[in-house]
CSV table of all heavy atoms in Angstrom, one decimal:
chain,number,residue,atom,x,y,z
A,62,MET,N,-32.8,41.4,1.7
A,62,MET,CA,-32.4,40.2,2.3
A,62,MET,C,-33.6,39.3,2.4
A,62,MET,O,-34.8,39.7,2.3
A,62,MET,CB,-31.9,40.4,3.7
A,62,MET,CG,-32.9,40.9,4.7
A,62,MET,SD,-32.2,41.2,6.4
A,62,MET,CE,-31.7,39.5,6.8
A,63,LYS,N,-33.4,38.0,2.7
A,63,LYS,CA,-34.5,37.1,3.0
A,63,LYS,C,-34.2,36.5,4.4
A,63,LYS,O,-33.0,36.3,4.7
A,63,LYS,CB,-34.5,35.9,2.0
A,63,LYS,CG,-34.9,36.4,0.6
A,63,LYS,CD,-35.0,35.2,-0.4
A,63,LYS,CE,-35.2,35.7,-1.8
A,63,LYS,NZ,-36.4,36.5,-1.9
A,64,TYR,N,-35.2,36.3,5.1
A,64,TYR,CA,-35.0,35.9,6.5
A,64,TYR,C,-36.2,35.0,6.9
A,64,TYR,O,-37.3,35.0,6.4
A,64,TYR,CB,-34.9,37.1,7.5
A,64,TYR,CG,-36.1,38.0,7.4
A,64,TYR,CD1,-37.1,37.8,8.4
A,64,TYR,CD2,-36.1,39.0,6.5
A,64,TYR,CE1,-38.2,38.7,8.3
A,64,TYR,CE2,-37.2,39.9,6.5
A,64,TYR,CZ,-38.2,39.7,7.4
A,64,TYR,OH,-39.3,40.5,7.4
A,65,CYS,N,-35.9,34.1,7.9
A,65,CYS,CA,-36.9,33.2,8.4
A,65,CYS,C,-37.6,33.8,9.6
A,65,CYS,O,-37.1,34.4,10.4
A,65,CYS,CB,-36.1,31.9,8.9
A,65,CYS,SG,-37.2,30.6,9.4
A,66,LEU,N,-39.0,33.5,9.5
A,66,LEU,CA,-39.8,34.0,10.6
A,66,LEU,C,-39.8,33.1,11.8
A,66,LEU,O,-40.3,33.4,12.9
A,66,LEU,CB,-41.2,34.2,10.1
A,66,LEU,CG,-41.4,35.2,9.0
A,66,LEU,CD1,-42.9,35.2,8.6
A,66,LEU,CD2,-41.0,36.6,9.4
A,67,ASN,N,-39.2,31.9,11.6
A,67,ASN,CA,-39.3,30.8,12.7
A,67,ASN,C,-38.0,30.6,13.4
A,67,ASN,O,-37.9,30.1,14.5
A,67,ASN,CB,-39.8,29.5,12.1
A,67,ASN,CG,-41.1,29.6,11.5
A,67,ASN,OD1,-41.3,29.9,10.3
A,67,ASN,ND2,-42.2,29.4,12.3
A,68,CYS,N,-36.9,31.0,12.8
A,68,CYS,CA,-35.6,30.9,13.4
A,68,CYS,C,-34.7,32.0,12.9
A,68,CYS,O,-35.2,32.9,12.2
A,68,CYS,CB,-34.9,29.5,13.1
A,68,CYS,SG,-34.4,29.3,11.4
A,69,ASP,N,-33.4,32.0,13.2
A,69,ASP,CA,-32.6,33.2,12.9
A,69,ASP,C,-31.9,33.1,11.6
A,69,ASP,O,-31.0,33.8,11.3
A,69,ASP,CB,-31.6,33.5,14.0
A,69,ASP,CG,-30.7,32.3,14.3
A,69,ASP,OD1,-30.8,31.3,13.6
A,69,ASP,OD2,-29.8,32.4,15.1
A,70,TRP,N,-32.4,32.1,10.7
A,70,TRP,CA,-31.8,32.0,9.4
A,70,TRP,C,-32.1,33.3,8.5
A,70,TRP,O,-33.2,33.8,8.6
A,70,TRP,CB,-32.5,30.8,8.7
A,70,TRP,CG,-31.9,30.5,7.3
A,70,TRP,CD1,-30.8,29.7,7.0
A,70,TRP,CD2,-32.3,31.1,6.1
A,70,TRP,NE1,-30.6,29.7,5.7
A,70,TRP,CE2,-31.5,30.5,5.1
A,70,TRP,CE3,-33.3,32.0,5.7
A,70,TRP,CZ2,-31.6,30.9,3.7
A,70,TRP,CZ3,-33.4,32.4,4.4
A,70,TRP,CH2,-32.6,31.8,3.4
A,71,SER,N,-31.1,33.7,7.8
A,71,SER,CA,-31.3,34.8,6.9
A,71,SER,C,-30.1,34.8,5.9
A,71,SER,O,-29.1,34.2,6.1
A,71,SER,CB,-31.2,36.1,7.7
A,71,SER,OG,-30.0,36.4,8.2
A,72,THR,N,-30.4,35.5,4.8
A,72,THR,CA,-29.3,35.6,3.8
A,72,THR,C,-29.5,37.0,3.1
A,72,THR,O,-30.7,37.4,2.9
A,72,THR,CB,-29.4,34.5,2.7
A,72,THR,OG1,-28.3,34.7,1.8
A,72,THR,CG2,-30.6,34.5,1.9
A,73,SER,N,-28.4,37.7,2.9
A,73,SER,CA,-28.5,39.0,2.3
A,73,SER,C,-27.4,39.1,1.3
A,73,SER,O,-26.6,38.2,1.1
A,73,SER,CB,-28.4,40.1,3.4
A,73,SER,OG,-27.0,40.1,3.9
A,74,ALA,N,-27.4,40.2,0.6
A,74,ALA,CA,-26.4,40.5,-0.4
A,74,ALA,C,-25.0,40.5,0.1
A,74,ALA,O,-24.0,40.2,-0.6
A,74,ALA,CB,-26.7,41.8,-1.1
A,75,THR,N,-24.9,40.8,1.4
A,75,THR,CA,-23.6,40.7,2.1
A,75,THR,C,-23.1,39.3,2.2
A,75,THR,O,-21.9,39.0,2.0
A,75,THR,CB,-23.7,41.3,3.5
A,75,THR,OG1,-24.4,42.5,3.5
A,75,THR,CG2,-22.4,41.5,4.1
A,76,ASP,N,-24.1,38.3,2.4
A,76,ASP,CA,-23.7,36.9,2.5
A,76,ASP,C,-23.5,36.3,1.2
A,76,ASP,O,-22.6,35.5,0.9
A,76,ASP,CB,-24.7,36.1,3.3
A,76,ASP,CG,-25.0,36.7,4.7
A,76,ASP,OD1,-24.0,37.1,5.3
A,76,ASP,OD2,-26.1,36.8,5.1
A,77,GLU,N,-24.4,36.6,0.3
A,77,GLU,CA,-24.5,36.0,-1.0
A,77,GLU,C,-24.9,37.0,-2.1
A,77,GLU,O,-26.1,37.4,-2.1
A,77,GLU,CB,-25.5,34.8,-1.0
A,77,GLU,CG,-25.8,34.2,-2.3
A,77,GLU,CD,-24.5,33.7,-3.0
A,77,GLU,OE1,-23.8,32.9,-2.5
A,77,GLU,OE2,-24.3,34.3,-4.1
A,78,PRO,N,-24.0,37.4,-3.0
A,78,PRO,CA,-24.3,38.5,-3.9
A,78,PRO,C,-25.4,38.1,-5.0
A,78,PRO,O,-26.0,39.0,-5.5
A,78,PRO,CB,-23.0,38.7,-4.6
A,78,PRO,CG,-22.0,37.8,-4.1
A,78,PRO,CD,-22.6,37.0,-3.0
A,79,SER,N,-25.6,36.8,-5.2
A,79,SER,CA,-26.5,36.4,-6.3
A,79,SER,C,-27.9,36.3,-5.8
A,79,SER,O,-28.2,35.5,-4.9
A,79,SER,CB,-26.0,35.1,-6.9
A,79,SER,OG,-27.1,34.6,-7.7
A,80,ALA,N,-28.8,37.1,-6.3
A,80,ALA,CA,-30.2,37.0,-5.9
A,80,ALA,C,-30.8,35.7,-6.1
A,80,ALA,O,-31.6,35.2,-5.3
A,80,ALA,CB,-31.0,38.1,-6.5
A,81,SER,N,-30.5,35.0,-7.2
A,81,SER,CA,-31.1,33.7,-7.6
A,81,SER,C,-30.6,32.7,-6.6
A,81,SER,O,-31.3,31.8,-6.2
A,81,SER,CB,-30.8,33.3,-9.0
A,81,SER,OG,-29.4,33.2,-9.2
A,82,VAL,N,-29.3,32.8,-6.2
A,82,VAL,CA,-28.8,31.8,-5.2
A,82,VAL,C,-29.5,32.0,-3.8
A,82,VAL,O,-29.8,31.1,-3.2
A,82,VAL,CB,-27.2,32.0,-5.1
A,82,VAL,CG1,-26.7,31.2,-3.9
A,82,VAL,CG2,-26.6,31.6,-6.3
A,83,ARG,N,-29.7,33.3,-3.5
A,83,ARG,CA,-30.4,33.6,-2.2
A,83,ARG,C,-31.8,33.0,-2.3
A,83,ARG,O,-32.3,32.5,-1.3
A,83,ARG,CB,-30.5,35.1,-2.0
A,83,ARG,CG,-29.1,35.7,-1.7
A,83,ARG,CD,-29.2,37.1,-0.9
A,83,ARG,NE,-30.0,38.0,-1.7
A,83,ARG,CZ,-29.5,38.8,-2.6
A,83,ARG,NH1,-28.2,38.7,-2.9
A,83,ARG,NH2,-30.3,39.7,-3.2
A,84,SER,N,-32.5,33.1,-3.4
A,84,SER,CA,-33.8,32.6,-3.5
A,84,SER,C,-33.8,31.1,-3.4
A,84,SER,O,-34.7,30.5,-2.7
A,84,SER,CB,-34.4,33.0,-4.9
A,84,SER,OG,-34.7,34.4,-5.0
A,85,ARG,N,-32.9,30.5,-4.0
A,85,ARG,CA,-32.8,29.0,-3.9
A,85,ARG,C,-32.5,28.6,-2.5
A,85,ARG,O,-33.0,27.6,-2.0
A,85,ARG,CB,-31.8,28.4,-4.9
A,85,ARG,CG,-32.2,28.3,-6.3
A,85,ARG,CD,-31.4,27.4,-7.1
A,85,ARG,NE,-30.0,27.9,-7.3
A,85,ARG,CZ,-29.7,28.6,-8.3
A,85,ARG,NH1,-30.5,29.0,-9.2
A,85,ARG,NH2,-28.4,29.0,-8.4
A,86,ALA,N,-31.6,29.3,-1.8
A,86,ALA,CA,-31.3,29.0,-0.4
A,86,ALA,C,-32.5,29.2,0.5
A,86,ALA,O,-32.8,28.4,1.4
A,86,ALA,CB,-30.2,29.9,0.1
A,87,ALA,N,-33.3,30.2,0.2
A,87,ALA,CA,-34.5,30.4,1.0
A,87,ALA,C,-35.5,29.3,0.8
A,87,ALA,O,-36.1,28.8,1.7
A,87,ALA,CB,-35.1,31.8,0.6
A,88,ILE,N,-35.7,28.9,-0.5
A,88,ILE,CA,-36.6,27.8,-0.8
A,88,ILE,C,-36.1,26.5,-0.1
A,88,ILE,O,-36.9,25.7,0.4
A,88,ILE,CB,-36.8,27.6,-2.3
A,88,ILE,CG1,-37.5,28.8,-2.9
A,88,ILE,CG2,-37.5,26.3,-2.7
A,88,ILE,CD1,-37.4,28.9,-4.4
A,89,ALA,N,-34.8,26.3,-0.2
A,89,ALA,CA,-34.3,25.1,0.4
A,89,ALA,C,-34.5,25.1,1.9
A,89,ALA,O,-34.9,24.0,2.5
A,89,ALA,CB,-32.8,25.0,0.1
A,90,HIS,N,-34.3,26.2,2.5
A,90,HIS,CA,-34.6,26.3,4.0
A,90,HIS,C,-36.1,26.0,4.3
A,90,HIS,O,-36.4,25.2,5.2
A,90,HIS,CB,-34.2,27.6,4.5
A,90,HIS,CG,-34.4,27.8,6.0
A,90,HIS,ND1,-33.5,27.2,6.9
A,90,HIS,CD2,-35.3,28.4,6.8
A,90,HIS,CE1,-33.9,27.4,8.2
A,90,HIS,NE2,-35.0,28.2,8.1
A,91,HIS,N,-36.9,26.5,3.5
A,91,HIS,CA,-38.4,26.3,3.7
A,91,HIS,C,-38.7,24.8,3.5
A,91,HIS,O,-39.4,24.2,4.3
A,91,HIS,CB,-39.2,27.1,2.7
A,91,HIS,CG,-40.6,26.8,2.6
A,91,HIS,ND1,-41.5,27.1,3.7
A,91,HIS,CD2,-41.4,26.1,1.7
A,91,HIS,CE1,-42.7,26.6,3.4
A,91,HIS,NE2,-42.6,26.0,2.2
A,92,VAL,N,-38.2,24.2,2.5
A,92,VAL,CA,-38.4,22.8,2.2
A,92,VAL,C,-37.9,21.9,3.3
A,92,VAL,O,-38.6,21.0,3.7
A,92,VAL,CB,-37.9,22.4,0.8
A,92,VAL,CG1,-37.9,20.9,0.6
A,92,VAL,CG2,-38.6,23.1,-0.3
A,93,GLU,N,-36.7,22.2,3.7
A,93,GLU,CA,-36.1,21.4,4.8
A,93,GLU,C,-36.7,21.5,6.1
A,93,GLU,O,-36.8,20.5,6.9
A,93,GLU,CB,-34.6,21.8,4.9
A,93,GLU,CG,-33.8,21.3,3.7
A,93,GLU,CD,-32.4,22.0,3.7
A,93,GLU,OE1,-32.0,22.6,4.7
A,93,GLU,OE2,-31.7,21.8,2.7
A,94,THR,N,-37.2,22.7,6.5
A,94,THR,CA,-37.6,23.0,7.8
A,94,THR,C,-39.1,23.2,7.9
A,94,THR,O,-39.7,23.1,9.0
A,94,THR,CB,-36.9,24.2,8.4
A,94,THR,OG1,-37.2,25.3,7.6
A,94,THR,CG2,-35.4,24.0,8.4
A,95,GLY,N,-39.8,23.6,6.8
A,95,GLY,CA,-41.2,24.0,6.9
A,95,GLY,C,-41.3,25.4,7.4
A,95,GLY,O,-42.4,25.9,7.7
A,96,HIS,N,-40.2,26.1,7.6
A,96,HIS,CA,-40.3,27.5,8.2
A,96,HIS,C,-40.8,28.5,7.1
A,96,HIS,O,-40.7,28.2,5.9
A,96,HIS,CB,-38.9,27.9,8.6
A,96,HIS,CG,-38.4,27.2,9.9
A,96,HIS,ND1,-37.2,27.3,10.4
A,96,HIS,CD2,-39.1,26.3,10.7
A,96,HIS,CE1,-37.1,26.6,11.5
A,96,HIS,NE2,-38.2,25.9,11.7
A,97,THR,N,-41.2,29.6,7.6
A,97,THR,CA,-41.7,30.6,6.7
A,97,THR,C,-40.6,31.7,6.4
A,97,THR,O,-40.0,32.2,7.3
A,97,THR,CB,-42.9,31.3,7.3
A,97,THR,OG1,-43.9,30.4,7.6
A,97,THR,CG2,-43.5,32.4,6.4
A,98,ILE,N,-40.4,31.9,5.1
A,98,ILE,CA,-39.4,32.9,4.7
A,98,ILE,C,-40.1,34.2,4.3
A,98,ILE,O,-41.0,34.2,3.6
A,98,ILE,CB,-38.5,32.3,3.6
A,98,ILE,CG1,-37.9,31.0,3.9
A,98,ILE,CG2,-37.5,33.4,3.2
A,98,ILE,CD1,-37.0,31.0,5.0
A,99,ASP,N,-39.5,35.3,4.8
A,99,ASP,CA,-40.0,36.6,4.4
A,99,ASP,C,-38.8,37.3,3.8
A,99,ASP,O,-37.7,36.9,3.9
A,99,ASP,CB,-40.6,37.3,5.6
A,99,ASP,CG,-41.6,38.4,5.1
A,99,ASP,OD1,-41.7,38.7,3.9
A,99,ASP,OD2,-42.4,38.9,5.9
A,100,SER,N,-39.1,38.4,3.1
A,100,SER,CA,-38.0,39.1,2.5
A,100,SER,C,-38.3,40.6,2.6
A,100,SER,O,-39.4,41.0,2.8
A,100,SER,CB,-37.9,38.7,1.0
A,100,SER,OG,-39.0,39.1,0.3
A,101,SER,N,-37.2,41.3,2.6
A,101,SER,CA,-37.3,42.8,2.6
A,101,SER,C,-36.2,43.4,1.8
A,101,SER,O,-35.2,42.7,1.5
A,101,SER,CB,-37.3,43.3,4.1
A,101,SER,OG,-36.0,43.7,4.4
A,102,GLU,N,-36.5,44.6,1.3
A,102,GLU,CA,-35.5,45.3,0.5
A,102,GLU,C,-34.3,45.7,1.3
A,102,GLU,O,-33.2,45.9,0.7
A,102,GLU,CB,-36.1,46.5,-0.2
A,102,GLU,CG,-37.2,46.1,-1.2
A,102,GLU,CD,-36.7,45.1,-2.3
A,102,GLU,OE1,-35.7,45.4,-2.9
A,102,GLU,OE2,-37.4,44.1,-2.5
A,103,GLY,N,-34.4,45.9,2.6
A,103,GLY,CA,-33.4,46.4,3.4
A,103,GLY,C,-32.4,45.3,3.8
A,103,GLY,O,-32.5,44.1,3.3
A,104,VAL,N,-31.5,45.6,4.6
A,104,VAL,CA,-30.4,44.6,5.1
A,104,VAL,C,-30.8,44.1,6.4
A,104,VAL,O,-30.0,43.2,6.9
A,104,VAL,CB,-29.0,45.3,5.1
A,104,VAL,CG1,-28.6,45.6,3.7
A,104,VAL,CG2,-29.0,46.5,6.0
A,105,VAL,N,-31.8,44.6,7.1
A,105,VAL,CA,-32.2,44.0,8.4
A,105,VAL,C,-33.7,43.7,8.3
A,105,VAL,O,-34.4,44.4,7.5
A,105,VAL,CB,-31.9,45.0,9.5
A,105,VAL,CG1,-30.4,45.2,9.7
A,105,VAL,CG2,-32.6,46.3,9.3
A,106,PRO,N,-34.2,42.8,9.1
A,106,PRO,CA,-35.7,42.6,9.1
A,106,PRO,C,-36.4,43.8,9.5
A,106,PRO,O,-36.0,44.5,10.4
A,106,PRO,CB,-35.8,41.5,10.1
A,106,PRO,CG,-34.5,40.8,10.3
A,106,PRO,CD,-33.5,41.9,10.0
A,107,PRO,N,-37.6,44.0,8.8
A,107,PRO,CA,-38.4,45.2,9.2
A,107,PRO,C,-38.9,45.1,10.6
A,107,PRO,O,-39.2,44.0,11.0
A,107,PRO,CB,-39.5,45.2,8.1
A,107,PRO,CG,-39.6,43.8,7.7
A,107,PRO,CD,-38.2,43.2,7.8
A,108,ARG,N,-39.1,46.2,11.2
A,108,ARG,CA,-39.6,46.2,12.5
A,108,ARG,C,-41.0,46.9,12.5
A,108,ARG,O,-41.2,47.9,11.8
A,108,ARG,CB,-38.8,47.1,13.5
A,108,ARG,CG,-37.3,46.6,13.5
A,108,ARG,CD,-37.1,45.6,14.6
A,108,ARG,NE,-35.8,45.1,14.7
A,108,ARG,CZ,-35.4,43.9,14.7
A,108,ARG,NH1,-36.3,42.9,14.7
A,108,ARG,NH2,-34.1,43.6,14.8
A,109,ILE,N,-41.9,46.4,13.3
A,109,ILE,CA,-43.2,47.0,13.4
A,109,ILE,C,-43.1,48.3,14.2
A,109,ILE,O,-42.5,48.2,15.3
A,109,ILE,CB,-44.3,46.1,14.1
A,109,ILE,CG1,-44.5,44.9,13.2
A,109,ILE,CG2,-45.6,46.8,14.4
A,109,ILE,CD1,-45.3,43.8,13.8
A,110,PRO,N,-43.5,49.4,13.7
A,110,PRO,CA,-43.4,50.7,14.5
A,110,PRO,C,-44.0,50.5,15.9
A,110,PRO,O,-45.0,50.0,16.1
A,110,PRO,CB,-44.1,51.7,13.7
A,110,PRO,CG,-44.2,51.1,12.3
A,110,PRO,CD,-44.3,49.6,12.5
A,111,ASP,N,-43.3,51.0,16.9
A,111,ASP,CA,-43.7,50.9,18.2
A,111,ASP,C,-44.6,52.1,18.6
A,111,ASP,O,-44.3,53.0,19.3
A,111,ASP,CB,-42.5,50.9,19.2
A,111,ASP,CG,-42.9,50.6,20.6
A,111,ASP,OD1,-44.0,50.1,20.8
A,111,ASP,OD2,-42.0,50.9,21.5
A,112,LEU,N,-45.8,52.1,18.0
A,112,LEU,CA,-46.8,53.2,18.2
A,112,LEU,C,-47.6,52.9,19.4
A,112,LEU,O,-47.9,51.8,19.7
A,112,LEU,CB,-47.7,53.3,16.9
A,112,LEU,CG,-47.0,53.6,15.6
A,112,LEU,CD1,-48.0,53.6,14.5
A,112,LEU,CD2,-46.3,55.0,15.7
A,113,PRO,N,-48.1,53.9,20.1
A,113,PRO,CA,-49.0,53.8,21.2
A,113,PRO,C,-50.3,53.2,20.7
A,113,PRO,O,-50.8,53.5,19.6
A,113,PRO,CB,-49.1,55.2,21.8
A,113,PRO,CG,-48.7,56.1,20.7
A,113,PRO,CD,-47.7,55.3,19.8
A,114,ASP,N,-51.0,52.4,21.6
A,114,ASP,CA,-52.3,51.8,21.2
A,114,ASP,C,-53.3,52.9,20.9
A,114,ASP,O,-54.2,52.6,20.0
A,114,ASP,CB,-52.8,51.0,22.4
A,114,ASP,CG,-51.9,49.8,22.7
A,114,ASP,OD1,-51.2,49.4,21.8
A,114,ASP,OD2,-52.1,49.2,23.7
A,115,ALA,N,-53.2,54.0,21.4
A,115,ALA,CA,-54.2,55.1,21.2
A,115,ALA,C,-54.3,55.4,19.7
A,115,ALA,O,-55.4,55.8,19.2
A,115,ALA,CB,-53.9,56.3,22.0
A,116,VAL,N,-53.2,55.3,19.0
A,116,VAL,CA,-53.2,55.7,17.6
A,116,VAL,C,-54.1,54.7,16.8
A,116,VAL,O,-54.9,55.1,16.0
A,116,VAL,CB,-51.8,55.6,17.0
A,116,VAL,CG1,-51.8,55.8,15.5
A,116,VAL,CG2,-50.9,56.7,17.7
A,117,PHE,N,-54.0,53.4,17.2
A,117,PHE,CA,-54.8,52.4,16.4
A,117,PHE,C,-56.3,52.6,16.9
A,117,PHE,O,-57.2,52.5,16.0
A,117,PHE,CB,-54.3,51.0,16.7
A,117,PHE,CG,-52.9,50.8,16.2
A,117,PHE,CD1,-51.8,50.7,17.0
A,117,PHE,CD2,-52.7,50.8,14.8
A,117,PHE,CE1,-50.5,50.5,16.5
A,117,PHE,CE2,-51.4,50.6,14.3
A,117,PHE,CZ,-50.3,50.5,15.2
A,118,VAL,N,-56.6,52.7,18.1
A,118,VAL,CA,-57.9,52.9,18.6
A,118,VAL,C,-58.6,54.1,17.9
A,118,VAL,O,-59.7,54.0,17.4
A,118,VAL,CB,-58.0,53.0,20.1
A,118,VAL,CG1,-59.4,53.4,20.6
A,118,VAL,CG2,-57.5,51.8,20.8
A,119,GLY,N,-57.9,55.2,17.8
A,119,GLY,CA,-58.4,56.4,17.2
A,119,GLY,C,-58.7,56.1,15.8
A,119,GLY,O,-59.7,56.6,15.2
A,120,ASP,N,-57.9,55.3,15.1
A,120,ASP,CA,-58.2,55.0,13.7
A,120,ASP,C,-59.4,54.2,13.5
A,120,ASP,O,-60.1,54.2,12.5
A,120,ASP,CB,-57.0,54.3,13.0
A,120,ASP,CG,-55.8,55.3,12.8
A,120,ASP,OD1,-56.1,56.5,12.8
A,120,ASP,OD2,-54.7,54.8,12.6
A,121,LEU,N,-59.7,53.3,14.5
A,121,LEU,CA,-60.8,52.4,14.3
A,121,LEU,C,-62.2,53.0,14.7
A,121,LEU,O,-63.2,52.5,14.3
A,121,LEU,CB,-60.6,51.1,15.2
A,121,LEU,CG,-59.4,50.3,14.7
A,121,LEU,CD1,-59.1,49.2,15.7
A,121,LEU,CD2,-59.7,49.7,13.4
A,122,LEU,N,-62.2,53.9,15.6
A,122,LEU,CA,-63.4,54.5,16.1
A,122,LEU,C,-64.1,55.4,15.0
A,122,LEU,O,-63.4,56.1,14.3
A,122,LEU,CB,-63.2,55.4,17.3
A,122,LEU,CG,-62.8,54.6,18.6
A,122,LEU,CD1,-62.5,55.7,19.7
A,122,LEU,CD2,-63.9,53.7,19.0
A,123,PRO,N,-65.4,55.3,14.9
A,123,PRO,CA,-66.1,56.2,13.9
A,123,PRO,C,-66.0,57.6,14.3
A,123,PRO,O,-65.8,57.9,15.5
A,123,PRO,CB,-67.5,55.7,13.9
A,123,PRO,CG,-67.7,55.0,15.2
A,123,PRO,CD,-66.3,54.5,15.6
A,124,SER,N,-66.1,58.5,13.4
A,124,SER,CA,-66.0,59.9,13.7
A,124,SER,C,-67.3,60.3,14.5
A,124,SER,O,-68.3,59.7,14.3
A,124,SER,CB,-65.9,60.8,12.5
A,124,SER,OG,-67.0,60.6,11.7
A,125,SER,N,-67.2,61.3,15.4
A,125,SER,CA,-68.3,61.6,16.3
A,125,SER,C,-69.2,62.6,15.8
A,125,SER,O,-70.0,63.2,16.5
A,125,SER,CB,-67.7,62.0,17.6
A,125,SER,OG,-66.9,63.1,17.5
A,126,ASP,N,-69.1,63.0,14.5
A,126,ASP,CA,-70.0,64.1,14.1
A,126,ASP,C,-71.2,63.6,13.3
A,126,ASP,O,-71.8,62.6,13.5
A,126,ASP,CB,-69.2,65.0,13.2
A,126,ASP,CG,-68.6,64.3,12.0
A,126,ASP,OD1,-68.9,63.1,11.8
A,126,ASP,OD2,-67.8,64.9,11.3
B,1110,ZN,ZN1,-35.9,28.8,9.8
């Protein structure tokens, strides 16, 4: 599917079976609104994993040996 990062606009194979039509619709939305369109292979927008901060901190710290 393609979806807008600025509003709730989106289009997917469920709405429009033609990928080229979806692409044109996404470009049209961008041109008309200036919004940013992103796309994903799935049918819903991807979610950032809800990981605890400690995971990221641990990855950034140098090893202590
Ligand atoms: Zn939009």
Side-chain angles (χ1 to χ4, degrees):
M62 71 179 294
K63 295 183 185 303
Y64 58 94
C65 181
L66 299 179
N67 300 91
C68 72
D69 62 359
W70 183 94
S71 69
T72 183
S73 69
T75 313
D76 303 319
E77 172 52 64
S79 167
S81 61
V82 171
R83 292 201 301 275
S84 290
R85 280 200 294 271
I88 291 167
H90 182 74
H91 170 72
V92 170
E93 289 169 8
T94 63
H96 290 175
T97 301
I98 305 297
D99 205 346
S100 61
S101 97
E102 295 303 311
V104 295
V105 296
R108 303 270 181 228
I109 295 172
D111 189 17
L112 297 175
D114 291 345
V116 172
F117 296 109
V118 173
D120 287 343
L121 293 172
L122 292 175
S124 62
S125 58
D126 58 8

